[in-house]
Each structure stands twice: as structure tokens, then as C-alpha cells.
Amino acid sequence: MALPKVSTPTYELTIPSTGETVTYRPFLVKEEKTLLMAMEAGGTAAMSNAMRDIISSCTEGNLKVKNLAPFDLEYFFLQLRGRSIGDVIDVRIKKPENVDCKEEENCTQICEIKINIDEITVDTSKISDPKIEITDTIGVKMKYPQMETVQKLAGVDGEEDIKTDNIFKMINECIEYIWDDEEIFKAKDHSKKELNDFIESLNTKQFNKIREFFESMPRLSKEVTWECPKCDKSTPLVLQGIDSFFG
């Protein structure tokens, strides 16, 4: 006789960058094990791989997780974590450099804050149009980088600032197509060198239009107040990115 199966509820979520509605289930013990192992391993790459695997499992493979923008992936995972484990995350935040505690030696330097996942947002209001006009007749359609691309070009455990050469590589990989007044040229039909030659042919003003698209890419964010548990010193902070909430 087969063992009974425990039913699980399903939920809907809207992907921030596309507006697509996705159905998912909470993650189970087997997925939580994957998460715990990633957290034990440490590092951005391990955590990102775990997030992708868990989201893929919980959407029954119906979502192309690889194509998600980094902020889509992080937002989805946080919402999934809320439905699976609990809506509140305990975050430990080290003392910011701009805070001088009255009793420096006796202060713990750590502030523990409880954050409701529903209060962590992705502000998409300032997203730049992916269709960028280079001239009156020539333009380029961009797409956000995949998490794998960001990891590869920023370093496995990501330096915050991407080196200049890697900025060009990222732009190259994120071109969807180029158009003029007669034709559309899909990036997949052209070599990396051809695309790079196109990028390098732009003047500074034209190139900055493309950079602005990436700089407008939203991140998970939440305003909090750091308060010393020993004295009355405090300061406002903005937590950004998935690492801030699982650090």
C-alpha cells in the first residue's frame, strides 16, 4: 500500500520585470535542505544556484528560471521563503561606520531586526525603456543580465564594482537586437566581435544611454533603523540585495 501524500497549497506571484503571473507551491523539506546546504557553504554563487533550483522545483519547471533578471530571482525567492517558512526574517546588522556608540567597548556592535518579507519591495518605477534610440534611425533593444552573467563578470562572490572590460562584455551579452530604418538584426545571429564593434562605435552620449539602462535596474530594498542595544545611538539604513537579508 502506497504511503499517503501530503497536499500543498499553491500561490500566485507577479514577476516584477515582466508582469507575468506565475503559480508556485511552498518549498518542502528537500528544498529547505538545499537552502541550508547553500547557506553553510557560503558565498553568492552557492546561494544563487540554490535559489534557482528551489524556484524551478516549486514552479514544477513551468518557469524559465535561467531567464529571470537578478532582482526577479531574489524577489521570487523571498516571497517563496515567506510562504514556506514564515513571513518574518531575523536580520543581524553590524554597526555602521558612521555610528559612534557612547560605550564603544561594552556595545555588542550588532543590531537584530525583524523584517516582514511583505515589506521588502522592488521599485520598478524607475526602470529605463529597454528600447534605446541611438540615432534617429538606429536603436538597440536590451535585456537584463541573467544571474549567471552577473556572477561570471563580477566574480564568483561578486565585487560590487564590475571592471570596465566586463561592463562591455555584459552589454554585449544583454543585446537582444539592433535595428535601423530597414531591418532588425538579432544578436544571436551575429558574433560577439560584431556586437562589440557596434558598441565601440558609439560616442560617449550614446553609450551612456545603454549604461543608464543597467544603472536603473532595481534591487530588493528595505529601509530600517540600526539601533545600538546598549546605548541610544541609531541611524537609518537601506538594506539592498538578497545578501542583506540572509547575511
Side-chain angles (χ1 to χ4, degrees):
M1 181 181 296
L3 293 174
K5 290 186 177 181
V6 179
S7 62
T8 56
T10 58
Y11 303 94
E12 288 188 344
L13 176 142
T14 300
I15 304 297
S17 68
T18 65
E20 176 188 0
T21 299
V22 180
T23 300
Y24 68 98
R25 62 163 173 80
F27 58 71
L28 308 176
V29 171
K30 60 182 179 181
E31 285 103 20
E32 186 174 2
K33 179 182 176 182
T34 299
L35 174 61
L36 292 174
M37 290 174 65
M39 294 175 70
E40 287 175 359
T44 303
M47 190 65 182
S48 297
N49 290 334
M51 287 193 296
R52 282 196 298 266
D53 291 344
I54 292 171
I55 291 173
S56 180
S57 295
C58 293
T59 55
E60 308 298 338
N62 294 323
L63 177 67
K64 294 182 178 179
V65 178
K66 184 178 180 181
N67 294 338
L68 292 178
F71 60 90
D72 287 330
L73 186 72
E74 294 180 347
Y75 176 75
F76 198 151
F77 182 75
L78 269 187
Q79 293 299 310
L80 179 56
R81 191 269 186 201
R83 300 299 186 192
S84 306
I85 298 177
D87 294 337
V88 177
I89 297 175
D90 293 316
V91 181
R92 292 168 55 84
I93 306 174
K94 294 181 180 179
K95 181 177 75 67
E97 294 181 359
N98 65 333
V99 176
D100 293 321
C101 292
K102 290 181 179 179
E103 303 176 23
E104 193 82 36
E105 294 182 0
N106 296 323
C107 292
T108 62
Q109 312 291 305
I110 297 292
C111 173
E112 296 186 359
I113 300 176
K114 292 185 180 294
I115 299 176
N116 191 307
I117 285 176
D118 291 335
E119 296 175 355
I120 303 172
T121 60
V122 175
D123 183 5
T124 59
S125 63
K126 298 180 181 179
I127 289 180
S128 296
D129 190 338
K131 296 182 72 173
I132 302 167
E133 292 187 356
I134 302 300
T135 69
D136 291 340
T137 58
I138 298 175
V140 57
K141 169 72 181 300
M142 304 299 297
K143 59 185 177 182
Y144 285 119
Q146 299 172 2
M147 184 68 83
E148 286 181 342
T149 301
V150 174
Q151 289 174 357
K152 179 175 67 177
L153 298 180
V156 174
D157 287 311
E159 302 170 1
E160 194 67 26
D161 297 322
I162 300 177
K163 295 179 181 179
T164 300
D165 184 50
N166 285 343
I167 290 175
F168 280 83
K169 290 179 181 178
M170 182 174 291
I171 291 173
N172 191 309
E173 293 199 17
C174 292
I175 294 176
E176 189 171 334
Y177 60 80
I178 298 166
W179 81 84
D180 61 17
D181 55 356
E182 296 181 351
E183 193 174 352
I184 291 178
F185 307 89
K186 294 183 178 181
K188 65 180 182 179
D189 297 330
H190 296 270
S191 67
K192 296 296 183 184
K193 183 180 184 306
E194 289 175 309
L195 296 173
N196 199 55
D197 288 344
F198 172 81
I199 296 168
E200 292 184 350
S201 72
L202 304 178
N203 62 39
T204 301
K205 184 177 180 180
Q206 293 165 342
F207 182 73
N208 284 340
K209 288 183 178 181
I210 296 177
R211 290 196 65 161
E212 287 170 6
F213 169 75
F214 291 100
E215 290 170 358
S216 72
M217 186 169 68
R219 301 190 70 186
L220 293 177
S221 65
K222 176 72 174 75
E223 294 184 6
V224 300
T225 299
W226 188 93
E227 297 182 23
C228 178
K230 293 288 186 179
C231 65
D232 60 357
K233 290 290 184 178
S234 65
T235 187
L237 291 175
V238 177
L239 302 180
Q240 289 189 319
I242 194 75
D243 292 342
S244 297
F245 304 102
F246 284 94

PDB file of all heavy atoms in Angstrom, residues 129-142 175-187 190 195 198 202 209-210:
ATOM      1  N   ASP A 129      13.530  52.325 -20.348  1.00  0.00           N
ATOM      2  CA  ASP A 129      12.994  51.613 -21.504  1.00  0.00           C
ATOM      3  C   ASP A 129      14.100  50.771 -22.134  1.00  0.00           C
ATOM      4  O   ASP A 129      15.182  51.292 -22.433  1.00  0.00           O
ATOM      5  CB  ASP A 129      12.468  52.633 -22.525  1.00  0.00           C
ATOM      6  CG  ASP A 129      11.668  51.991 -23.660  1.00  0.00           C
ATOM      7  OD1 ASP A 129      11.853  50.772 -23.905  1.00  0.00           O
ATOM      8  OD2 ASP A 129      10.882  52.703 -24.302  1.00  0.00           O
ATOM      9  N   PRO A 130      13.876  49.459 -22.328  1.00  0.00           N
ATOM     10  CA  PRO A 130      14.919  48.612 -22.918  1.00  0.00           C
ATOM     11  C   PRO A 130      15.174  48.919 -24.393  1.00  0.00           C
ATOM     12  O   PRO A 130      16.199  48.509 -24.937  1.00  0.00           O
ATOM     13  CB  PRO A 130      14.373  47.196 -22.734  1.00  0.00           C
ATOM     14  CG  PRO A 130      12.894  47.373 -22.652  1.00  0.00           C
ATOM     15  CD  PRO A 130      12.684  48.673 -21.953  1.00  0.00           C
ATOM     16  N   LYS A 131      14.247  49.628 -25.041  1.00  0.00           N
ATOM     17  CA  LYS A 131      14.454  50.026 -26.435  1.00  0.00           C
ATOM     18  C   LYS A 131      15.089  51.412 -26.441  1.00  0.00           C
ATOM     19  O   LYS A 131      14.464  52.410 -26.094  1.00  0.00           O
ATOM     20  CB  LYS A 131      13.130  50.013 -27.197  1.00  0.00           C
ATOM     21  CG  LYS A 131      12.503  48.628 -27.295  1.00  0.00           C
ATOM     22  CD  LYS A 131      11.211  48.637 -28.095  1.00  0.00           C
ATOM     23  CE  LYS A 131      11.467  48.841 -29.575  1.00  0.00           C
ATOM     24  NZ  LYS A 131      10.228  48.690 -30.374  1.00  0.00           N
ATOM     25  N   ILE A 132      16.355  51.449 -26.815  1.00  0.00           N
ATOM     26  CA  ILE A 132      17.157  52.664 -26.710  1.00  0.00           C
ATOM     27  C   ILE A 132      17.461  53.214 -28.099  1.00  0.00           C
ATOM     28  O   ILE A 132      18.053  52.513 -28.936  1.00  0.00           O
ATOM     29  CB  ILE A 132      18.465  52.373 -25.953  1.00  0.00           C
ATOM     30  CG1 ILE A 132      18.140  51.818 -24.555  1.00  0.00           C
ATOM     31  CG2 ILE A 132      19.329  53.623 -25.862  1.00  0.00           C
ATOM     32  CD1 ILE A 132      19.340  51.208 -23.851  1.00  0.00           C
ATOM     33  N   GLU A 133      17.086  54.434 -28.357  1.00  0.00           N
ATOM     34  CA  GLU A 133      17.370  55.079 -29.639  1.00  0.00           C
ATOM     35  C   GLU A 133      18.793  55.627 -29.627  1.00  0.00           C
ATOM     36  O   GLU A 133      19.131  56.487 -28.825  1.00  0.00           O
ATOM     37  CB  GLU A 133      16.366  56.192 -29.908  1.00  0.00           C
ATOM     38  CG  GLU A 133      14.954  55.701 -30.167  1.00  0.00           C
ATOM     39  CD  GLU A 133      14.024  56.817 -30.595  1.00  0.00           C
ATOM     40  OE1 GLU A 133      14.463  57.991 -30.615  1.00  0.00           O
ATOM     41  OE2 GLU A 133      12.860  56.525 -30.912  1.00  0.00           O
ATOM     42  N   ILE A 134      19.602  55.118 -30.546  1.00  0.00           N
ATOM     43  CA  ILE A 134      20.987  55.570 -30.663  1.00  0.00           C
ATOM     44  C   ILE A 134      21.056  56.811 -31.552  1.00  0.00           C
ATOM     45  O   ILE A 134      21.718  57.794 -31.238  1.00  0.00           O
ATOM     46  CB  ILE A 134      21.887  54.455 -31.227  1.00  0.00           C
ATOM     47  CG1 ILE A 134      21.818  53.202 -30.320  1.00  0.00           C
ATOM     48  CG2 ILE A 134      23.323  54.938 -31.359  1.00  0.00           C
ATOM     49  CD1 ILE A 134      22.270  53.427 -28.901  1.00  0.00           C
ATOM     50  N   THR A 135      20.360  56.732 -32.687  1.00  0.00           N
ATOM     51  CA  THR A 135      20.199  57.877 -33.590  1.00  0.00           C
ATOM     52  C   THR A 135      18.741  57.915 -34.015  1.00  0.00           C
ATOM     53  O   THR A 135      17.918  57.148 -33.521  1.00  0.00           O
ATOM     54  CB  THR A 135      21.101  57.739 -34.837  1.00  0.00           C
ATOM     55  OG1 THR A 135      20.608  56.665 -35.660  1.00  0.00           O
ATOM     56  CG2 THR A 135      22.559  57.452 -34.455  1.00  0.00           C
ATOM     57  N   ASP A 136      18.423  58.786 -34.960  1.00  0.00           N
ATOM     58  CA  ASP A 136      17.049  58.866 -35.454  1.00  0.00           C
ATOM     59  C   ASP A 136      16.627  57.587 -36.171  1.00  0.00           C
ATOM     60  O   ASP A 136      15.426  57.286 -36.274  1.00  0.00           O
ATOM     61  CB  ASP A 136      16.897  60.056 -36.409  1.00  0.00           C
ATOM     62  CG  ASP A 136      17.010  61.384 -35.676  1.00  0.00           C
ATOM     63  OD1 ASP A 136      16.815  61.376 -34.443  1.00  0.00           O
ATOM     64  OD2 ASP A 136      17.309  62.403 -36.327  1.00  0.00           O
ATOM     65  N   THR A 137      17.587  56.817 -36.664  1.00  0.00           N
ATOM     66  CA  THR A 137      17.245  55.631 -37.457  1.00  0.00           C
ATOM     67  C   THR A 137      17.811  54.328 -36.881  1.00  0.00           C
ATOM     68  O   THR A 137      17.482  53.246 -37.366  1.00  0.00           O
ATOM     69  CB  THR A 137      17.772  55.783 -38.900  1.00  0.00           C
ATOM     70  OG1 THR A 137      19.198  55.987 -38.871  1.00  0.00           O
ATOM     71  CG2 THR A 137      17.110  56.969 -39.599  1.00  0.00           C
ATOM     72  N   ILE A 138      18.655  54.409 -35.876  1.00  0.00           N
ATOM     73  CA  ILE A 138      19.303  53.217 -35.315  1.00  0.00           C
ATOM     74  C   ILE A 138      19.016  53.126 -33.815  1.00  0.00           C
ATOM     75  O   ILE A 138      19.045  54.130 -33.090  1.00  0.00           O
ATOM     76  CB  ILE A 138      20.826  53.247 -35.544  1.00  0.00           C
ATOM     77  CG1 ILE A 138      21.142  53.252 -37.041  1.00  0.00           C
ATOM     78  CG2 ILE A 138      21.503  52.046 -34.867  1.00  0.00           C
ATOM     79  CD1 ILE A 138      22.617  53.413 -37.357  1.00  0.00           C
ATOM     80  N   GLY A 139      18.711  51.914 -33.375  1.00  0.00           N
ATOM     81  CA  GLY A 139      18.454  51.703 -31.955  1.00  0.00           C
ATOM     82  C   GLY A 139      18.856  50.306 -31.528  1.00  0.00           C
ATOM     83  O   GLY A 139      19.198  49.455 -32.360  1.00  0.00           O
ATOM     84  N   VAL A 140      18.805  50.058 -30.226  1.00  0.00           N
ATOM     85  CA  VAL A 140      19.173  48.750 -29.692  1.00  0.00           C
ATOM     86  C   VAL A 140      18.169  48.357 -28.606  1.00  0.00           C
ATOM     87  O   VAL A 140      17.748  49.184 -27.814  1.00  0.00           O
ATOM     88  CB  VAL A 140      20.620  48.769 -29.125  1.00  0.00           C
ATOM     89  CG1 VAL A 140      20.768  49.825 -28.051  1.00  0.00           C
ATOM     90  CG2 VAL A 140      21.019  47.405 -28.578  1.00  0.00           C
ATOM     91  N   LYS A 141      17.764  47.104 -28.629  1.00  0.00           N
ATOM     92  CA  LYS A 141      16.860  46.567 -27.600  1.00  0.00           C
ATOM     93  C   LYS A 141      17.713  45.752 -26.632  1.00  0.00           C
ATOM     94  O   LYS A 141      18.381  44.787 -27.018  1.00  0.00           O
ATOM     95  CB  LYS A 141      15.793  45.685 -28.247  1.00  0.00           C
ATOM     96  CG  LYS A 141      14.957  44.854 -27.254  1.00  0.00           C
ATOM     97  CD  LYS A 141      13.995  45.692 -26.450  1.00  0.00           C
ATOM     98  CE  LYS A 141      13.206  44.832 -25.451  1.00  0.00           C
ATOM     99  NZ  LYS A 141      12.403  43.788 -26.099  1.00  0.00           N
ATOM    100  N   MET A 142      17.678  46.137 -25.331  1.00  0.00           N
ATOM    101  CA  MET A 142      18.469  45.468 -24.326  1.00  0.00           C
ATOM    102  C   MET A 142      17.607  44.528 -23.482  1.00  0.00           C
ATOM    103  O   MET A 142      16.371  44.609 -23.504  1.00  0.00           O
ATOM    104  CB  MET A 142      19.142  46.503 -23.406  1.00  0.00           C
ATOM    105  CG  MET A 142      20.000  47.535 -24.111  1.00  0.00           C
ATOM    106  SD  MET A 142      21.395  46.808 -25.009  1.00  0.00           S
ATOM    107  CE  MET A 142      22.311  46.068 -23.655  1.00  0.00           C
ATOM    108  N   ILE A 175      22.454  42.433 -25.304  1.00  0.00           N
ATOM    109  CA  ILE A 175      21.796  42.981 -26.504  1.00  0.00           C
ATOM    110  C   ILE A 175      20.834  41.936 -27.050  1.00  0.00           C
ATOM    111  O   ILE A 175      21.217  40.799 -27.307  1.00  0.00           O
ATOM    112  CB  ILE A 175      22.825  43.369 -27.580  1.00  0.00           C
ATOM    113  CG1 ILE A 175      23.686  44.536 -27.097  1.00  0.00           C
ATOM    114  CG2 ILE A 175      22.117  43.736 -28.887  1.00  0.00           C
ATOM    115  CD1 ILE A 175      24.791  44.916 -28.062  1.00  0.00           C
ATOM    116  N   GLU A 176      19.583  42.312 -27.199  1.00  0.00           N
ATOM    117  CA  GLU A 176      18.596  41.401 -27.772  1.00  0.00           C
ATOM    118  C   GLU A 176      18.554  41.551 -29.288  1.00  0.00           C
ATOM    119  O   GLU A 176      18.589  40.572 -30.016  1.00  0.00           O
ATOM    120  CB  GLU A 176      17.216  41.683 -27.175  1.00  0.00           C
ATOM    121  CG  GLU A 176      16.171  40.649 -27.558  1.00  0.00           C
ATOM    122  CD  GLU A 176      14.880  40.805 -26.791  1.00  0.00           C
ATOM    123  OE1 GLU A 176      14.915  41.353 -25.660  1.00  0.00           O
ATOM    124  OE2 GLU A 176      13.827  40.384 -27.302  1.00  0.00           O
ATOM    125  N   TYR A 177      18.487  42.792 -29.733  1.00  0.00           N
ATOM    126  CA  TYR A 177      18.595  43.056 -31.177  1.00  0.00           C
ATOM    127  C   TYR A 177      18.938  44.516 -31.418  1.00  0.00           C
ATOM    128  O   TYR A 177      18.798  45.372 -30.530  1.00  0.00           O
ATOM    129  CB  TYR A 177      17.318  42.672 -31.931  1.00  0.00           C
ATOM    130  CG  TYR A 177      16.060  43.394 -31.518  1.00  0.00           C
ATOM    131  CD1 TYR A 177      15.768  44.687 -31.970  1.00  0.00           C
ATOM    132  CD2 TYR A 177      15.115  42.771 -30.696  1.00  0.00           C
ATOM    133  CE1 TYR A 177      14.599  45.344 -31.604  1.00  0.00           C
ATOM    134  CE2 TYR A 177      13.943  43.418 -30.323  1.00  0.00           C
ATOM    135  CZ  TYR A 177      13.691  44.697 -30.778  1.00  0.00           C
ATOM    136  OH  TYR A 177      12.534  45.348 -30.414  1.00  0.00           O
ATOM    137  N   ILE A 178      19.412  44.786 -32.626  1.00  0.00           N
ATOM    138  CA  ILE A 178      19.717  46.141 -33.086  1.00  0.00           C
ATOM    139  C   ILE A 178      18.835  46.402 -34.296  1.00  0.00           C
ATOM    140  O   ILE A 178      18.594  45.499 -35.105  1.00  0.00           O
ATOM    141  CB  ILE A 178      21.209  46.268 -33.460  1.00  0.00           C
ATOM    142  CG1 ILE A 178      22.081  46.000 -32.214  1.00  0.00           C
ATOM    143  CG2 ILE A 178      21.522  47.650 -34.044  1.00  0.00           C
ATOM    144  CD1 ILE A 178      23.551  45.779 -32.534  1.00  0.00           C
ATOM    145  N   TRP A 179      18.344  47.615 -34.433  1.00  0.00           N
ATOM    146  CA  TRP A 179      17.504  47.913 -35.596  1.00  0.00           C
ATOM    147  C   TRP A 179      17.954  49.201 -36.289  1.00  0.00           C
ATOM    148  O   TRP A 179      18.591  50.064 -35.682  1.00  0.00           O
ATOM    149  CB  TRP A 179      16.034  48.035 -35.189  1.00  0.00           C
ATOM    150  CG  TRP A 179      15.630  49.359 -34.593  1.00  0.00           C
ATOM    151  CD1 TRP A 179      15.265  50.488 -35.248  1.00  0.00           C
ATOM    152  CD2 TRP A 179      15.570  49.684 -33.195  1.00  0.00           C
ATOM    153  NE1 TRP A 179      14.972  51.502 -34.361  1.00  0.00           N
ATOM    154  CE2 TRP A 179      15.137  51.031 -33.096  1.00  0.00           C
ATOM    155  CE3 TRP A 179      15.809  48.972 -32.022  1.00  0.00           C
ATOM    156  CZ2 TRP A 179      14.966  51.681 -31.873  1.00  0.00           C
ATOM    157  CZ3 TRP A 179      15.638  49.614 -30.813  1.00  0.00           C
ATOM    158  CH2 TRP A 179      15.219  50.945 -30.744  1.00  0.00           C
ATOM    159  N   ASP A 180      17.649  49.266 -37.571  1.00  0.00           N
ATOM    160  CA  ASP A 180      17.756  50.528 -38.301  1.00  0.00           C
ATOM    161  C   ASP A 180      16.422  50.751 -39.000  1.00  0.00           C
ATOM    162  O   ASP A 180      15.439  50.054 -38.705  1.00  0.00           O
ATOM    163  CB  ASP A 180      18.947  50.537 -39.273  1.00  0.00           C
ATOM    164  CG  ASP A 180      18.861  49.469 -40.358  1.00  0.00           C
ATOM    165  OD1 ASP A 180      17.751  48.916 -40.578  1.00  0.00           O
ATOM    166  OD2 ASP A 180      19.888  49.178 -40.991  1.00  0.00           O
ATOM    167  N   ASP A 181      16.353  51.697 -39.910  1.00  0.00           N
ATOM    168  CA  ASP A 181      15.062  52.010 -40.531  1.00  0.00           C
ATOM    169  C   ASP A 181      14.619  50.978 -41.556  1.00  0.00           C
ATOM    170  O   ASP A 181      13.536  51.088 -42.143  1.00  0.00           O
ATOM    171  CB  ASP A 181      15.098  53.402 -41.179  1.00  0.00           C
ATOM    172  CG  ASP A 181      16.238  53.561 -42.168  1.00  0.00           C
ATOM    173  OD1 ASP A 181      17.053  52.620 -42.299  1.00  0.00           O
ATOM    174  OD2 ASP A 181      16.326  54.624 -42.811  1.00  0.00           O
ATOM    175  N   GLU A 182      15.441  49.949 -41.768  1.00  0.00           N
ATOM    176  CA  GLU A 182      15.092  48.937 -42.773  1.00  0.00           C
ATOM    177  C   GLU A 182      15.015  47.518 -42.223  1.00  0.00           C
ATOM    178  O   GLU A 182      14.296  46.677 -42.757  1.00  0.00           O
ATOM    179  CB  GLU A 182      16.114  48.956 -43.929  1.00  0.00           C
ATOM    180  CG  GLU A 182      16.134  50.265 -44.722  1.00  0.00           C
ATOM    181  CD  GLU A 182      17.142  50.218 -45.852  1.00  0.00           C
ATOM    182  OE1 GLU A 182      17.927  49.236 -45.905  1.00  0.00           O
ATOM    183  OE2 GLU A 182      17.158  51.155 -46.668  1.00  0.00           O
ATOM    184  N   GLU A 183      15.745  47.230 -41.145  1.00  0.00           N
ATOM    185  CA  GLU A 183      15.883  45.828 -40.733  1.00  0.00           C
ATOM    186  C   GLU A 183      16.130  45.702 -39.230  1.00  0.00           C
ATOM    187  O   GLU A 183      16.582  46.642 -38.577  1.00  0.00           O
ATOM    188  CB  GLU A 183      17.058  45.200 -41.500  1.00  0.00           C
ATOM    189  CG  GLU A 183      17.142  43.695 -41.428  1.00  0.00           C
ATOM    190  CD  GLU A 183      18.244  43.148 -42.337  1.00  0.00           C
ATOM    191  OE1 GLU A 183      18.822  43.931 -43.127  1.00  0.00           O
ATOM    192  OE2 GLU A 183      18.520  41.939 -42.223  1.00  0.00           O
ATOM    193  N   ILE A 184      15.817  44.505 -38.703  1.00  0.00           N
ATOM    194  CA  ILE A 184      16.130  44.157 -37.322  1.00  0.00           C
ATOM    195  C   ILE A 184      17.236  43.101 -37.339  1.00  0.00           C
ATOM    196  O   ILE A 184      17.135  42.097 -38.035  1.00  0.00           O
ATOM    197  CB  ILE A 184      14.898  43.613 -36.579  1.00  0.00           C
ATOM    198  CG1 ILE A 184      13.875  44.736 -36.362  1.00  0.00           C
ATOM    199  CG2 ILE A 184      15.294  43.001 -35.240  1.00  0.00           C
ATOM    200  CD1 ILE A 184      12.601  44.281 -35.686  1.00  0.00           C
ATOM    201  N   PHE A 185      18.290  43.328 -36.562  1.00  0.00           N
ATOM    202  CA  PHE A 185      19.435  42.427 -36.519  1.00  0.00           C
ATOM    203  C   PHE A 185      19.469  41.753 -35.144  1.00  0.00           C
ATOM    204  O   PHE A 185      19.834  42.373 -34.146  1.00  0.00           O
ATOM    205  CB  PHE A 185      20.737  43.201 -36.762  1.00  0.00           C
ATOM    206  CG  PHE A 185      20.738  44.032 -38.016  1.00  0.00           C
ATOM    207  CD1 PHE A 185      20.286  45.355 -37.987  1.00  0.00           C
ATOM    208  CD2 PHE A 185      21.170  43.496 -39.219  1.00  0.00           C
ATOM    209  CE1 PHE A 185      20.282  46.124 -39.134  1.00  0.00           C
ATOM    210  CE2 PHE A 185      21.171  44.270 -40.380  1.00  0.00           C
ATOM    211  CZ  PHE A 185      20.718  45.579 -40.338  1.00  0.00           C
ATOM    212  N   LYS A 186      19.079  40.490 -35.075  1.00  0.00           N
ATOM    213  CA  LYS A 186      19.056  39.772 -33.801  1.00  0.00           C
ATOM    214  C   LYS A 186      20.474  39.444 -33.350  1.00  0.00           C
ATOM    215  O   LYS A 186      21.300  38.992 -34.140  1.00  0.00           O
ATOM    216  CB  LYS A 186      18.230  38.493 -33.939  1.00  0.00           C
ATOM    217  CG  LYS A 186      16.750  38.751 -34.189  1.00  0.00           C
ATOM    218  CD  LYS A 186      15.964  37.457 -34.243  1.00  0.00           C
ATOM    219  CE  LYS A 186      14.481  37.730 -34.449  1.00  0.00           C
ATOM    220  NZ  LYS A 186      13.680  36.480 -34.490  1.00  0.00           N
ATOM    221  N   ALA A 187      20.741  39.654 -32.077  1.00  0.00           N
ATOM    222  CA  ALA A 187      22.085  39.447 -31.547  1.00  0.00           C
ATOM    223  C   ALA A 187      22.555  38.006 -31.734  1.00  0.00           C
ATOM    224  O   ALA A 187      23.732  37.757 -32.003  1.00  0.00           O
ATOM    225  CB  ALA A 187      22.123  39.822 -30.066  1.00  0.00           C
ATOM    226  N   HIS A 190      24.607  37.149 -34.792  1.00  0.00           N
ATOM    227  CA  HIS A 190      25.863  37.853 -35.034  1.00  0.00           C
ATOM    228  C   HIS A 190      26.899  37.476 -33.984  1.00  0.00           C
ATOM    229  O   HIS A 190      26.558  37.078 -32.866  1.00  0.00           O
ATOM    230  CB  HIS A 190      25.618  39.375 -35.027  1.00  0.00           C
ATOM    231  CG  HIS A 190      24.717  39.827 -36.137  1.00  0.00           C
ATOM    232  ND1 HIS A 190      25.176  40.198 -37.375  1.00  0.00           N
ATOM    233  CD2 HIS A 190      23.358  39.938 -36.195  1.00  0.00           C
ATOM    234  CE1 HIS A 190      24.151  40.530 -38.147  1.00  0.00           C
ATOM    235  NE2 HIS A 190      23.036  40.377 -37.462  1.00  0.00           N
ATOM    236  N   LEU A 195      29.122  42.468 -32.429  1.00  0.00           N
ATOM    237  CA  LEU A 195      28.382  43.241 -31.430  1.00  0.00           C
ATOM    238  C   LEU A 195      29.304  44.195 -30.686  1.00  0.00           C
ATOM    239  O   LEU A 195      28.946  45.342 -30.407  1.00  0.00           O
ATOM    240  CB  LEU A 195      27.694  42.303 -30.438  1.00  0.00           C
ATOM    241  CG  LEU A 195      26.612  41.387 -31.024  1.00  0.00           C
ATOM    242  CD1 LEU A 195      26.128  40.399 -29.979  1.00  0.00           C
ATOM    243  CD2 LEU A 195      25.430  42.198 -31.556  1.00  0.00           C
ATOM    244  N   PHE A 198      30.076  47.180 -32.737  1.00  0.00           N
ATOM    245  CA  PHE A 198      28.956  48.118 -32.723  1.00  0.00           C
ATOM    246  C   PHE A 198      28.999  48.978 -31.462  1.00  0.00           C
ATOM    247  O   PHE A 198      28.850  50.209 -31.519  1.00  0.00           O
ATOM    248  CB  PHE A 198      27.629  47.366 -32.796  1.00  0.00           C
ATOM    249  CG  PHE A 198      26.425  48.236 -32.586  1.00  0.00           C
ATOM    250  CD1 PHE A 198      25.909  49.001 -33.622  1.00  0.00           C
ATOM    251  CD2 PHE A 198      25.803  48.302 -31.335  1.00  0.00           C
ATOM    252  CE1 PHE A 198      24.798  49.812 -33.429  1.00  0.00           C
ATOM    253  CE2 PHE A 198      24.698  49.110 -31.129  1.00  0.00           C
ATOM    254  CZ  PHE A 198      24.201  49.867 -32.175  1.00  0.00           C
ATOM    255  N   LEU A 202      30.027  53.603 -30.786  1.00  0.00           N
ATOM    256  CA  LEU A 202      29.144  54.619 -30.219  1.00  0.00           C
ATOM    257  C   LEU A 202      29.958  55.765 -29.623  1.00  0.00           C
ATOM    258  O   LEU A 202      31.087  55.571 -29.162  1.00  0.00           O
ATOM    259  CB  LEU A 202      28.266  54.007 -29.119  1.00  0.00           C
ATOM    260  CG  LEU A 202      27.417  52.794 -29.494  1.00  0.00           C
ATOM    261  CD1 LEU A 202      26.648  52.301 -28.274  1.00  0.00           C
ATOM    262  CD2 LEU A 202      26.449  53.136 -30.620  1.00  0.00           C
ATOM    263  N   LYS A 209      23.572  56.098 -22.656  1.00  0.00           N
ATOM    264  CA  LYS A 209      22.158  55.715 -22.691  1.00  0.00           C
ATOM    265  C   LYS A 209      22.013  54.238 -22.343  1.00  0.00           C
ATOM    266  O   LYS A 209      21.074  53.838 -21.642  1.00  0.00           O
ATOM    267  CB  LYS A 209      21.561  55.981 -24.078  1.00  0.00           C
ATOM    268  CG  LYS A 209      21.354  57.443 -24.422  1.00  0.00           C
ATOM    269  CD  LYS A 209      20.687  57.558 -25.791  1.00  0.00           C
ATOM    270  CE  LYS A 209      20.422  59.007 -26.162  1.00  0.00           C
ATOM    271  NZ  LYS A 209      19.753  59.112 -27.498  1.00  0.00           N
ATOM    272  N   ILE A 210      22.950  53.435 -22.841  1.00  0.00           N
ATOM    273  CA  ILE A 210      22.916  51.997 -22.551  1.00  0.00           C
ATOM    274  C   ILE A 210      23.300  51.738 -21.099  1.00  0.00           C
ATOM    275  O   ILE A 210      22.682  50.923 -20.416  1.00  0.00           O
ATOM    276  CB  ILE A 210      23.848  51.232 -23.515  1.00  0.00           C
ATOM    277  CG1 ILE A 210      23.343  51.372 -24.955  1.00  0.00           C
ATOM    278  CG2 ILE A 210      23.939  49.763 -23.128  1.00  0.00           C
ATOM    279  CD1 ILE A 210      24.227  50.723 -25.996  1.00  0.00           C
TER     280      ILE A 210
END
